[in-house]
CSV table of all heavy atoms in Angstrom, one decimal:
chain,number,residue,atom,x,y,z
O,1,MET,N,-24.7,-11.7,17.0
O,1,MET,CA,-23.4,-11.5,16.5
O,1,MET,C,-22.4,-11.5,17.7
O,1,MET,O,-22.6,-10.8,18.6
O,1,MET,CB,-23.3,-10.2,15.7
O,1,MET,CG,-22.0,-10.1,14.9
O,1,MET,SD,-22.0,-8.5,14.0
O,1,MET,CE,-22.8,-9.1,12.5
O,2,THR,N,-21.4,-12.3,17.6
O,2,THR,CA,-20.4,-12.4,18.7
O,2,THR,C,-19.3,-11.3,18.4
O,2,THR,O,-19.1,-10.8,17.3
O,2,THR,CB,-19.7,-13.8,18.7
O,2,THR,OG1,-19.0,-14.0,17.5
O,2,THR,CG2,-20.8,-14.9,18.9
O,3,ALA,N,-18.5,-11.2,19.4
O,3,ALA,CA,-17.4,-10.2,19.3
O,3,ALA,C,-16.4,-10.6,18.2
O,3,ALA,O,-15.8,-9.8,17.5
O,3,ALA,CB,-16.6,-10.1,20.6
O,4,ASP,N,-16.2,-11.9,18.0
O,4,ASP,CA,-15.3,-12.4,16.9
O,4,ASP,C,-15.8,-12.0,15.6
O,4,ASP,O,-15.0,-11.8,14.7
O,4,ASP,CB,-15.2,-14.0,17.0
O,4,ASP,CG,-14.4,-14.4,18.2
O,4,ASP,OD1,-13.7,-13.6,18.8
O,4,ASP,OD2,-14.6,-15.6,18.6
O,5,ASN,N,-17.1,-11.9,15.4
O,5,ASN,CA,-17.6,-11.5,14.1
O,5,ASN,C,-17.4,-10.1,13.7
O,5,ASN,O,-17.5,-9.7,12.6
O,5,ASN,CB,-19.2,-11.8,14.0
O,5,ASN,CG,-19.4,-13.3,14.0
O,5,ASN,OD1,-18.6,-14.1,13.6
O,5,ASN,ND2,-20.6,-13.7,14.4
O,6,ASP,N,-17.1,-9.3,14.8
O,6,ASP,CA,-16.9,-7.9,14.6
O,6,ASP,C,-15.4,-7.5,14.2
O,6,ASP,O,-15.1,-6.5,13.7
O,6,ASP,CB,-17.2,-7.1,15.9
O,6,ASP,CG,-18.6,-7.1,16.2
O,6,ASP,OD1,-19.4,-7.3,15.3
O,6,ASP,OD2,-19.0,-6.9,17.4
O,7,VAL,N,-14.5,-8.6,14.3
O,7,VAL,CA,-13.1,-8.4,14.0
O,7,VAL,C,-12.9,-8.7,12.5
O,7,VAL,O,-13.2,-9.8,12.0
O,7,VAL,CB,-12.2,-9.3,14.8
O,7,VAL,CG1,-10.8,-9.2,14.5
O,7,VAL,CG2,-12.4,-9.0,16.3
O,8,PRO,N,-12.4,-7.6,11.7
O,8,PRO,CA,-12.1,-7.9,10.3
O,8,PRO,C,-11.0,-8.9,10.2
O,8,PRO,O,-10.0,-8.9,10.9
O,8,PRO,CB,-11.8,-6.6,9.8
O,8,PRO,CG,-11.5,-5.7,10.9
O,8,PRO,CD,-12.1,-6.3,12.2
O,9,ARG,N,-11.1,-9.8,9.2
O,9,ARG,CA,-10.1,-10.8,9.0
O,9,ARG,C,-9.5,-10.6,7.6
O,9,ARG,O,-10.2,-10.3,6.6
O,9,ARG,CB,-10.6,-12.2,9.1
O,9,ARG,CG,-11.1,-12.5,10.4
O,9,ARG,CD,-11.6,-13.9,10.5
O,9,ARG,NE,-12.2,-14.1,11.9
O,9,ARG,CZ,-12.7,-15.3,12.2
O,9,ARG,NH1,-12.8,-16.3,11.4
O,9,ARG,NH2,-13.2,-15.4,13.4
O,10,ASP,N,-8.2,-10.7,7.5
O,10,ASP,CA,-7.5,-10.6,6.2
O,10,ASP,C,-7.4,-11.9,5.6
O,10,ASP,O,-6.5,-12.7,5.9
O,10,ASP,CB,-6.1,-9.9,6.4
O,10,ASP,CG,-5.4,-9.6,5.1
O,10,ASP,OD1,-6.1,-9.7,4.1
O,10,ASP,OD2,-4.2,-9.3,5.2
O,11,GLN,N,-8.4,-12.2,4.7
O,11,GLN,CA,-8.4,-13.5,4.1
O,11,GLN,C,-8.3,-13.3,2.6
O,11,GLN,O,-8.9,-14.0,1.8
O,11,GLN,CB,-9.8,-14.2,4.4
O,11,GLN,CG,-9.9,-14.5,5.9
O,11,GLN,CD,-11.2,-15.2,6.2
O,11,GLN,OE1,-12.1,-15.2,5.4
O,11,GLN,NE2,-11.3,-15.7,7.4
O,12,ARG,N,-7.4,-12.5,2.2
O,12,ARG,CA,-7.3,-12.2,0.7
O,12,ARG,C,-6.6,-13.4,0.1
O,12,ARG,O,-5.7,-14.1,0.6
O,12,ARG,CB,-6.4,-11.0,0.5
O,12,ARG,CG,-7.0,-9.7,1.0
O,12,ARG,CD,-6.7,-8.6,0.1
O,12,ARG,NE,-7.3,-7.4,0.6
O,12,ARG,CZ,-8.2,-6.8,-0.1
O,12,ARG,NH1,-8.7,-7.3,-1.2
O,12,ARG,NH2,-8.8,-5.7,0.4
O,13,LYS,N,-7.1,-13.8,-1.1
O,13,LYS,CA,-6.5,-14.9,-1.8
O,13,LYS,C,-5.2,-14.5,-2.5
O,13,LYS,O,-4.3,-15.3,-2.8
O,13,LYS,CB,-7.5,-15.4,-2.9
O,13,LYS,CG,-8.8,-16.0,-2.3
O,13,LYS,CD,-9.7,-16.4,-3.3
O,13,LYS,CE,-11.0,-16.8,-2.8
O,13,LYS,NZ,-12.0,-17.1,-3.8
O,14,ASN,N,-5.1,-13.2,-2.9
O,14,ASN,CA,-4.0,-12.7,-3.6
O,14,ASN,C,-3.0,-12.0,-2.6
O,14,ASN,O,-3.1,-10.8,-2.3
O,14,ASN,CB,-4.4,-11.6,-4.6
O,14,ASN,CG,-3.4,-11.2,-5.6
O,14,ASN,OD1,-2.2,-11.3,-5.3
O,14,ASN,ND2,-3.8,-10.7,-6.8
O,15,VAL,N,-2.1,-12.8,-2.2
O,15,VAL,CA,-1.1,-12.4,-1.2
O,15,VAL,C,-0.2,-11.3,-1.7
O,15,VAL,O,0.1,-10.4,-1.0
O,15,VAL,CB,-0.2,-13.6,-0.7
O,15,VAL,CG1,0.8,-13.1,0.3
O,15,VAL,CG2,-1.2,-14.6,0.0
O,16,LEU,N,0.2,-11.4,-3.0
O,16,LEU,CA,1.0,-10.4,-3.6
O,16,LEU,C,0.3,-9.0,-3.6
O,16,LEU,O,0.9,-8.0,-3.3
O,16,LEU,CB,1.4,-10.8,-5.0
O,16,LEU,CG,2.2,-9.7,-5.8
O,16,LEU,CD1,3.5,-9.4,-5.1
O,16,LEU,CD2,2.5,-10.2,-7.2
O,17,LEU,N,-1.0,-9.0,-3.9
O,17,LEU,CA,-1.7,-7.8,-3.9
O,17,LEU,C,-1.7,-7.1,-2.4
O,17,LEU,O,-1.5,-6.0,-2.3
O,17,LEU,CB,-3.1,-8.0,-4.4
O,17,LEU,CG,-4.0,-6.7,-4.5
O,17,LEU,CD1,-3.4,-5.7,-5.5
O,17,LEU,CD2,-5.4,-7.1,-5.0
O,18,ARG,N,-2.0,-8.0,-1.5
O,18,ARG,CA,-1.9,-7.5,-0.1
O,18,ARG,C,-0.6,-7.0,0.3
O,18,ARG,O,-0.5,-5.9,0.9
O,18,ARG,CB,-2.3,-8.7,0.8
O,18,ARG,CG,-2.1,-8.5,2.3
O,18,ARG,CD,-2.8,-7.2,2.9
O,18,ARG,NE,-4.1,-6.9,2.5
O,18,ARG,CZ,-4.7,-5.7,2.6
O,18,ARG,NH1,-4.0,-4.8,3.1
O,18,ARG,NH2,-5.9,-5.5,2.2
O,19,MET,N,0.5,-7.6,-0.2
O,19,MET,CA,1.8,-7.1,0.2
O,19,MET,C,2.1,-5.7,-0.5
O,19,MET,O,2.6,-4.8,0.1
O,19,MET,CB,2.9,-8.1,-0.3
O,19,MET,CG,2.9,-9.3,0.6
O,19,MET,SD,4.0,-10.7,-0.1
O,19,MET,CE,5.5,-9.8,-0.2
O,20,LEU,N,1.6,-5.6,-1.8
O,20,LEU,CA,1.8,-4.4,-2.5
O,20,LEU,C,1.0,-3.2,-1.8
O,20,LEU,O,1.5,-2.1,-1.7
O,20,LEU,CB,1.4,-4.5,-3.9
O,20,LEU,CG,2.3,-5.3,-4.8
O,20,LEU,CD1,1.7,-5.7,-6.2
O,20,LEU,CD2,3.6,-4.6,-5.0
O,21,ILE,N,-0.2,-3.5,-1.4
O,21,ILE,CA,-1.0,-2.5,-0.7
O,21,ILE,C,-0.4,-2.1,0.6
O,21,ILE,O,-0.4,-0.9,0.9
O,21,ILE,CB,-2.5,-3.1,-0.5
O,21,ILE,CG1,-3.2,-3.2,-1.8
O,21,ILE,CG2,-3.2,-2.2,0.5
O,21,ILE,CD1,-4.5,-3.9,-1.8
O,22,ASN,N,0.2,-3.1,1.3
O,22,ASN,CA,0.9,-2.7,2.6
O,22,ASN,C,2.1,-1.8,2.3
O,22,ASN,O,2.3,-0.9,3.0
O,22,ASN,CB,1.3,-4.0,3.3
O,22,ASN,CG,0.2,-4.7,4.0
O,22,ASN,OD1,-0.9,-4.1,4.2
O,22,ASN,ND2,0.3,-6.0,4.3
O,23,ASP,N,2.8,-2.1,1.2
O,23,ASP,CA,4.0,-1.3,0.8
O,23,ASP,C,3.5,0.1,0.5
O,23,ASP,O,4.1,1.1,0.9
O,23,ASP,CB,4.7,-1.9,-0.4
O,23,ASP,CG,5.6,-3.1,-0.1
O,23,ASP,OD1,5.8,-3.3,1.1
O,23,ASP,OD2,6.0,-3.8,-1.0
O,24,MET,N,2.4,0.2,-0.2
O,24,MET,CA,1.8,1.5,-0.6
O,24,MET,C,1.5,2.3,0.6
O,24,MET,O,1.8,3.5,0.7
O,24,MET,CB,0.6,1.3,-1.5
O,24,MET,CG,0.0,2.6,-2.0
O,24,MET,SD,-1.4,2.3,-3.1
O,24,MET,CE,-2.6,1.5,-2.1
O,25,ILE,N,0.8,1.7,1.6
O,25,ILE,CA,0.4,2.4,2.8
O,25,ILE,C,1.6,2.8,3.6
O,25,ILE,O,1.7,4.0,4.1
O,25,ILE,CB,-0.5,1.4,3.7
O,25,ILE,CG1,-1.9,1.3,3.0
O,25,ILE,CG2,-0.7,2.0,5.1
O,25,ILE,CD1,-2.7,0.2,3.6
O,26,ASP,N,2.6,2.0,3.7
O,26,ASP,CA,3.9,2.4,4.3
O,26,ASP,C,4.5,3.6,3.7
O,26,ASP,O,5.0,4.5,4.3
O,26,ASP,CB,4.9,1.2,4.3
O,26,ASP,CG,4.5,0.1,5.3
O,26,ASP,OD1,3.6,0.3,6.1
O,26,ASP,OD2,5.0,-1.0,5.1
O,27,GLN,N,4.5,3.6,2.3
O,27,GLN,CA,5.1,4.7,1.6
O,27,GLN,C,4.3,6.0,1.8
O,27,GLN,O,4.9,7.1,2.0
O,27,GLN,CB,5.2,4.4,0.1
O,27,GLN,CG,6.0,5.4,-0.7
O,27,GLN,CD,7.5,5.4,-0.3
O,27,GLN,OE1,8.0,4.5,0.2
O,27,GLN,NE2,8.1,6.5,-0.5
O,28,VAL,N,3.0,5.9,1.9
O,28,VAL,CA,2.2,7.1,2.1
O,28,VAL,C,2.5,7.6,3.5
O,28,VAL,O,2.6,8.8,3.7
O,28,VAL,CB,0.7,6.7,2.0
O,28,VAL,CG1,-0.2,7.8,2.5
O,28,VAL,CG2,0.4,6.5,0.5
O,29,ARG,N,2.6,6.7,4.5
O,29,ARG,CA,2.9,7.2,5.8
O,29,ARG,C,4.3,7.9,5.9
O,29,ARG,O,4.4,8.9,6.7
O,29,ARG,CB,2.9,5.9,6.8
O,29,ARG,CG,1.4,5.5,7.1
O,29,ARG,CD,1.4,4.3,7.9
O,29,ARG,NE,0.1,3.9,8.2
O,29,ARG,CZ,-0.3,2.7,8.4
O,29,ARG,NH1,0.5,1.7,8.5
O,29,ARG,NH2,-1.6,2.4,8.7
O,30,GLU,N,5.3,7.3,5.2
O,30,GLU,CA,6.6,7.9,5.2
O,30,GLU,C,6.5,9.3,4.6
O,30,GLU,O,7.1,10.2,5.2
O,30,GLU,CB,7.5,7.0,4.3
O,30,GLU,CG,8.9,7.5,4.3
O,30,GLU,CD,9.7,7.4,5.6
O,30,GLU,OE1,9.2,6.7,6.5
O,30,GLU,OE2,10.7,8.1,5.8
O,31,ILE,N,5.8,9.5,3.5
O,31,ILE,CA,5.7,10.8,2.9
O,31,ILE,C,5.0,11.7,3.9
O,31,ILE,O,5.4,12.9,4.1
O,31,ILE,CB,5.0,10.7,1.6
O,31,ILE,CG1,5.9,10.0,0.5
O,31,ILE,CG2,4.5,12.1,1.1
O,31,ILE,CD1,5.1,9.7,-0.8
O,32,ASN,N,4.0,11.3,4.5
O,32,ASN,CA,3.2,12.1,5.5
O,32,ASN,C,4.1,12.5,6.7
O,32,ASN,O,4.0,13.6,7.1
O,32,ASN,CB,2.0,11.3,6.0
O,32,ASN,CG,1.1,12.2,6.7
O,32,ASN,OD1,0.8,13.3,6.3
O,32,ASN,ND2,0.6,11.8,7.9
O,33,ARG,N,5.0,11.6,7.1
O,33,ARG,CA,5.8,12.0,8.3
O,33,ARG,C,6.8,13.2,7.9
O,33,ARG,O,7.1,14.0,8.7
O,33,ARG,CB,6.7,10.8,8.7
O,33,ARG,CG,6.1,9.9,9.6
O,33,ARG,CD,7.1,8.9,10.2
O,33,ARG,NE,7.5,7.9,9.3
O,33,ARG,CZ,6.9,6.7,9.0
O,33,ARG,NH1,5.8,6.5,9.6
O,33,ARG,NH2,7.4,5.9,8.1
O,34,HIS,N,7.2,13.2,6.6
O,34,HIS,CA,8.1,14.2,6.2
O,34,HIS,C,7.4,15.5,5.8
O,34,HIS,O,8.0,16.5,5.6
O,34,HIS,CB,9.0,13.7,5.1
O,34,HIS,CG,10.0,12.7,5.5
O,34,HIS,ND1,11.0,13.0,6.3
O,34,HIS,CD2,10.1,11.4,5.3
O,34,HIS,CE1,11.7,11.9,6.6
O,34,HIS,NE2,11.2,10.9,6.0
O,35,ALA,N,6.1,15.5,5.6
O,35,ALA,CA,5.4,16.6,5.0
O,35,ALA,C,5.4,17.8,5.9
O,35,ALA,O,5.4,18.9,5.4
O,35,ALA,CB,4.0,16.2,4.7
O,36,ALA,N,5.5,17.6,7.2
O,36,ALA,CA,5.4,18.7,8.2
O,36,ALA,C,6.8,19.5,8.3
O,36,ALA,O,6.7,20.7,8.6
O,36,ALA,CB,5.0,18.2,9.5
O,37,GLY,N,7.9,18.9,7.9
O,37,GLY,CA,9.1,19.5,8.1
O,37,GLY,C,9.9,19.7,6.8
O,37,GLY,O,9.4,19.3,5.8
O,38,PRO,N,11.1,20.2,7.0
O,38,PRO,CA,11.9,20.4,5.8
O,38,PRO,C,12.3,19.0,5.2
O,38,PRO,O,12.6,18.1,5.9
O,38,PRO,CB,13.2,21.1,6.3
O,38,PRO,CG,13.2,20.8,7.7
O,38,PRO,CD,11.8,20.6,8.2
O,39,TRP,N,12.3,19.0,3.8
O,39,TRP,CA,12.6,17.7,3.1
O,39,TRP,C,13.2,18.1,1.9
O,39,TRP,O,12.6,18.8,1.0
O,39,TRP,CB,11.3,16.9,2.9
O,39,TRP,CG,11.5,15.5,2.6
O,39,TRP,CD1,12.6,14.8,2.8
O,39,TRP,CD2,10.5,14.5,2.2
O,39,TRP,NE1,12.4,13.4,2.4
O,39,TRP,CE2,11.1,13.3,2.1
O,39,TRP,CE3,9.1,14.6,2.0
O,39,TRP,CZ2,10.4,12.2,1.7
O,39,TRP,CZ3,8.5,13.5,1.6
O,39,TRP,CH2,9.1,12.3,1.4
O,40,ALA,N,14.4,17.6,1.6
O,40,ALA,CA,15.1,17.9,0.4
O,40,ALA,C,14.3,17.5,-0.8
O,40,ALA,O,13.6,16.5,-0.8
O,40,ALA,CB,16.5,17.2,0.3
O,41,ALA,N,14.3,18.4,-1.9
O,41,ALA,CA,13.4,18.2,-3.0
O,41,ALA,C,13.7,16.8,-3.7
O,41,ALA,O,12.8,16.1,-4.1
O,41,ALA,CB,13.6,19.3,-4.0
O,42,ASP,N,15.0,16.4,-3.8
O,42,ASP,CA,15.3,15.2,-4.4
O,42,ASP,C,14.9,14.0,-3.6
O,42,ASP,O,14.4,13.0,-4.2
O,42,ASP,CB,16.8,15.0,-4.7
O,42,ASP,CG,17.7,15.1,-3.5
O,42,ASP,OD1,17.2,15.7,-2.5
O,42,ASP,OD2,18.8,14.6,-3.5
O,43,GLU,N,14.9,14.1,-2.3
O,43,GLU,CA,14.4,13.0,-1.5
O,43,GLU,C,12.8,12.9,-1.6
O,43,GLU,O,12.3,11.8,-1.7
O,43,GLU,CB,14.7,13.2,0.0
O,43,GLU,CG,16.2,13.1,0.3
O,43,GLU,CD,16.5,13.4,1.7
O,43,GLU,OE1,15.6,13.6,2.5
O,43,GLU,OE2,17.7,13.4,2.1
O,44,ARG,N,12.2,14.0,-1.7
O,44,ARG,CA,10.7,14.0,-1.8
O,44,ARG,C,10.4,13.4,-3.2
O,44,ARG,O,9.5,12.6,-3.3
O,44,ARG,CB,10.1,15.4,-1.7
O,44,ARG,CG,8.6,15.4,-1.8
O,44,ARG,CD,8.0,16.7,-1.6
O,44,ARG,NE,6.6,16.7,-1.7
O,44,ARG,CZ,5.8,16.5,-0.7
O,44,ARG,NH1,6.3,16.3,0.5
O,44,ARG,NH2,4.5,16.4,-0.9
O,45,ALA,N,11.1,13.9,-4.2
O,45,ALA,CA,10.8,13.3,-5.6
O,45,ALA,C,11.0,11.8,-5.6
O,45,ALA,O,10.2,11.1,-6.2
O,45,ALA,CB,11.7,14.0,-6.6
O,46,SER,N,12.0,11.3,-5.0
O,46,SER,CA,12.3,9.9,-4.9
O,46,SER,C,11.2,9.1,-4.2
O,46,SER,O,10.7,8.0,-4.7
O,46,SER,CB,13.7,9.7,-4.2
O,46,SER,OG,13.9,8.2,-4.1
O,47,ALA,N,10.7,9.7,-3.1
O,47,ALA,CA,9.7,9.0,-2.4
O,47,ALA,C,8.4,9.0,-3.1
O,47,ALA,O,7.6,8.0,-3.1
O,47,ALA,CB,9.5,9.7,-1.0
O,48,GLU,N,8.1,10.1,-3.8
O,48,GLU,CA,6.9,10.2,-4.6
O,48,GLU,C,6.9,9.2,-5.8
O,48,GLU,O,6.0,8.6,-6.2
O,48,GLU,CB,6.6,11.6,-5.1
O,48,GLU,CG,6.1,12.5,-4.0
O,48,GLU,CD,6.0,14.0,-4.4
O,48,GLU,OE1,6.4,14.3,-5.5
O,48,GLU,OE2,5.5,14.7,-3.6
O,49,ALA,N,8.2,9.0,-6.4
O,49,ALA,CA,8.3,8.1,-7.5
O,49,ALA,C,8.1,6.7,-7.0
O,49,ALA,O,7.5,5.9,-7.7
O,49,ALA,CB,9.7,8.3,-8.2
O,50,ALA,N,8.7,6.4,-5.8
O,50,ALA,CA,8.5,5.0,-5.3
O,50,ALA,C,7.0,4.8,-5.0
O,50,ALA,O,6.5,3.7,-5.3
O,50,ALA,CB,9.2,4.9,-4.0
O,51,LEU,N,6.3,5.8,-4.5
O,51,LEU,CA,4.8,5.6,-4.3
O,51,LEU,C,4.1,5.4,-5.7
O,51,LEU,O,3.2,4.5,-5.7
O,51,LEU,CB,4.2,6.8,-3.6
O,51,LEU,CG,2.7,6.8,-3.4
O,51,LEU,CD1,2.3,5.6,-2.5
O,51,LEU,CD2,2.3,8.1,-2.7
O,52,GLU,N,4.4,6.1,-6.7
O,52,GLU,CA,3.8,5.9,-8.0
O,52,GLU,C,4.1,4.6,-8.5
O,52,GLU,O,3.2,3.9,-9.1
O,52,GLU,CB,4.3,7.0,-9.0
O,52,GLU,CG,3.6,6.9,-10.3
O,52,GLU,CD,2.2,7.2,-10.3
O,52,GLU,OE1,1.7,7.9,-9.4
O,52,GLU,OE2,1.4,6.5,-11.1
O,53,ARG,N,5.3,4.0,-8.4
O,53,ARG,CA,5.7,2.7,-8.8
O,53,ARG,C,4.9,1.7,-8.1
O,53,ARG,O,4.3,0.8,-8.7
O,53,ARG,CB,7.2,2.5,-8.6
O,53,ARG,CG,7.6,1.1,-9.0
O,53,ARG,CD,9.1,0.8,-8.6
O,53,ARG,NE,9.3,1.0,-7.1
O,53,ARG,CZ,9.0,0.2,-6.1
O,53,ARG,NH1,8.3,-0.9,-6.4
O,53,ARG,NH2,9.3,0.6,-4.9
O,54,ILE,N,4.7,1.8,-6.8
O,54,ILE,CA,3.9,0.8,-6.0
O,54,ILE,C,2.5,0.9,-6.4
O,54,ILE,O,1.8,-0.2,-6.7
O,54,ILE,CB,4.1,1.1,-4.5
O,54,ILE,CG1,5.5,0.8,-4.1
O,54,ILE,CG2,3.2,0.2,-3.7
O,54,ILE,CD1,5.8,1.4,-2.7
O,55,MET,N,2.0,2.1,-6.6
O,55,MET,CA,0.6,2.2,-7.0
O,55,MET,C,0.3,1.6,-8.4
O,55,MET,O,-0.7,0.9,-8.6
O,55,MET,CB,0.2,3.7,-7.1
O,55,MET,CG,0.1,4.3,-5.7
O,55,MET,SD,-0.1,6.1,-5.6
O,55,MET,CE,-1.6,6.3,-6.5
O,56,THR,N,1.3,1.7,-9.3
O,56,THR,CA,1.2,1.1,-10.6
O,56,THR,C,1.1,-0.5,-10.5
O,56,THR,O,0.3,-1.1,-11.1
O,56,THR,CB,2.3,1.5,-11.5
O,56,THR,OG1,2.2,2.9,-11.7
O,56,THR,CG2,2.3,0.8,-12.9
O,57,GLN,N,2.0,-1.0,-9.6
O,57,GLN,CA,2.0,-2.4,-9.4
O,57,GLN,C,0.7,-2.9,-8.8
O,57,GLN,O,0.3,-4.0,-9.1
O,57,GLN,CB,3.2,-2.8,-8.4
O,57,GLN,CG,4.5,-2.6,-9.1
O,57,GLN,CD,5.7,-2.9,-8.2
O,57,GLN,OE1,5.7,-2.3,-7.1
O,57,GLN,NE2,6.6,-3.8,-8.5
O,58,VAL,N,0.2,-2.1,-7.9
O,58,VAL,CA,-1.2,-2.5,-7.3
O,58,VAL,C,-2.2,-2.6,-8.3
O,58,VAL,O,-3.0,-3.5,-8.4
O,58,VAL,CB,-1.5,-1.5,-6.1
O,58,VAL,CG1,-3.0,-1.7,-5.7
O,58,VAL,CG2,-0.6,-1.6,-4.9
O,59,ARG,N,-2.3,-1.5,-9.2
O,59,ARG,CA,-3.3,-1.5,-10.2
O,59,ARG,C,-3.1,-2.7,-11.2
O,59,ARG,O,-4.1,-3.4,-11.5
O,59,ARG,CB,-3.2,-0.3,-11.1
O,59,ARG,CG,-3.9,0.9,-10.4
O,59,ARG,CD,-4.0,2.1,-11.3
O,59,ARG,NE,-2.7,2.6,-11.8
O,59,ARG,CZ,-2.0,3.5,-11.2
O,59,ARG,NH1,-2.4,4.1,-10.1
O,59,ARG,NH2,-0.8,3.9,-11.7
O,60,GLN,N,-1.8,-3.0,-11.6
O,60,GLN,CA,-1.6,-4.1,-12.5
O,60,GLN,C,-2.0,-5.4,-11.9
O,60,GLN,O,-2.6,-6.3,-12.6
O,60,GLN,CB,-0.1,-4.1,-12.9
O,60,GLN,CG,0.3,-3.0,-13.8
O,60,GLN,CD,1.8,-2.9,-14.0
O,60,GLN,OE1,2.6,-3.5,-13.3
O,60,GLN,NE2,2.2,-2.1,-15.0
O,61,GLU,N,-1.6,-5.7,-10.7
O,61,GLU,CA,-1.9,-6.9,-10.0
O,61,GLU,C,-3.4,-7.1,-9.8
O,61,GLU,O,-4.0,-8.2,-10.0
O,61,GLU,CB,-1.2,-7.1,-8.7
O,61,GLU,CG,-1.4,-8.4,-8.0
O,61,GLU,CD,-0.9,-9.6,-8.7
O,61,GLU,OE1,-0.1,-9.5,-9.7
O,61,GLU,OE2,-1.3,-10.7,-8.4
O,62,ALA,N,-4.1,-6.0,-9.5
O,62,ALA,CA,-5.6,-6.1,-9.2
O,62,ALA,C,-6.3,-6.4,-10.6
O,62,ALA,O,-7.2,-7.2,-10.6
O,62,ALA,CB,-6.1,-4.8,-8.7
O,63,LEU,N,-5.8,-5.8,-11.7
O,63,LEU,CA,-6.4,-6.0,-12.9
O,63,LEU,C,-6.1,-7.4,-13.5
O,63,LEU,O,-6.9,-8.1,-14.2
O,63,LEU,CB,-6.1,-4.9,-13.9
O,63,LEU,CG,-6.6,-3.6,-13.6
O,63,LEU,CD1,-6.0,-2.5,-14.5
O,63,LEU,CD2,-8.1,-3.5,-13.7
O,64,ARG,N,-4.9,-7.8,-13.2
O,64,ARG,CA,-4.4,-9.1,-13.7
O,64,ARG,C,-5.2,-10.2,-13.1
O,64,ARG,O,-5.7,-11.1,-13.9
O,64,ARG,CB,-2.9,-9.3,-13.4
O,64,ARG,CG,-2.3,-10.6,-13.9
O,64,ARG,CD,-0.9,-10.8,-13.6
O,64,ARG,NE,-0.7,-11.1,-12.2
O,64,ARG,CZ,-0.8,-12.3,-11.7
O,64,ARG,NH1,-1.0,-13.3,-12.4
O,64,ARG,NH2,-0.6,-12.5,-10.4
O,65,ARG,N,-5.4,-10.2,-11.9
O,65,ARG,CA,-6.1,-11.3,-11.2
O,65,ARG,C,-7.6,-11.1,-11.2
O,65,ARG,O,-8.4,-12.0,-11.0
O,65,ARG,CB,-5.6,-11.4,-9.7
O,65,ARG,CG,-4.3,-12.0,-9.6
O,65,ARG,CD,-4.3,-13.4,-9.9
O,65,ARG,NE,-3.3,-14.2,-9.3
O,65,ARG,CZ,-3.3,-14.8,-8.2
O,65,ARG,NH1,-4.3,-14.7,-7.4
O,65,ARG,NH2,-2.3,-15.6,-7.8
O,66,GLY,N,-8.1,-9.9,-11.3
O,66,GLY,CA,-9.5,-9.6,-11.2
O,66,GLY,C,-10.1,-9.7,-9.8
O,66,GLY,O,-11.3,-9.8,-9.6
O,67,ASP,N,-9.2,-9.8,-8.8
O,67,ASP,CA,-9.7,-9.8,-7.4
O,67,ASP,C,-9.0,-8.8,-6.6
O,67,ASP,O,-7.9,-8.4,-6.9
O,67,ASP,CB,-9.6,-11.2,-6.8
O,67,ASP,CG,-8.2,-11.7,-6.8
O,67,ASP,OD1,-7.2,-11.0,-7.1
O,67,ASP,OD2,-8.0,-12.9,-6.5
O,68,GLY,N,-9.6,-8.3,-5.6
O,68,GLY,CA,-8.9,-7.2,-4.8
O,68,GLY,C,-9.5,-6.8,-3.6
O,68,GLY,O,-10.3,-7.3,-2.9
């Protein structure tokens, strides 16, 4: 096995699903950054709602295409 074989490649056929997953990860990181400090309740609720919306889209796209 060469070193090139050890490198994971992003070869997803469903580009929309990959984009949604990236958005989901970004949103989780954003929530995590604010978790340690003070965060207004309405801002937190908005961020959590955005994450829920993205997660719903990820599920819908994964089920629609049957690949993931």
Side-chain angles (χ1 to χ4, degrees):
M1 191 178 273
T2 66
D4 289 340
N5 290 337
D6 294 336
V7 178
R9 295 182 184 180
D10 188 9
Q11 296 180 348
R12 297 213 179 251
K13 296 176 185 176
N14 190 336
V15 176
L16 176 58
L17 184 59
R18 171 52 43 200
M19 290 172 55
L20 288 168
I21 290 170
N22 287 341
D23 286 348
M24 183 177 61
I25 291 168
D26 289 344
Q27 189 65 24
V28 167
R29 287 178 177 150
E30 182 67 20
I31 289 171
N32 191 46
R33 272 194 291 276
H34 290 291
W39 199 10
D42 60 333
E43 290 177 8
R44 181 177 183 90
S46 178
E48 289 175 352
L51 178 59
E52 183 62 33
R53 178 189 50 79
I54 295 167
M55 290 170 58
T56 297
Q57 290 176 307
V58 167
R59 282 191 300 268
Q60 289 172 345
E61 183 62 18
L63 293 172
R64 184 180 73 82
R65 287 290 203 91
D67 58 10

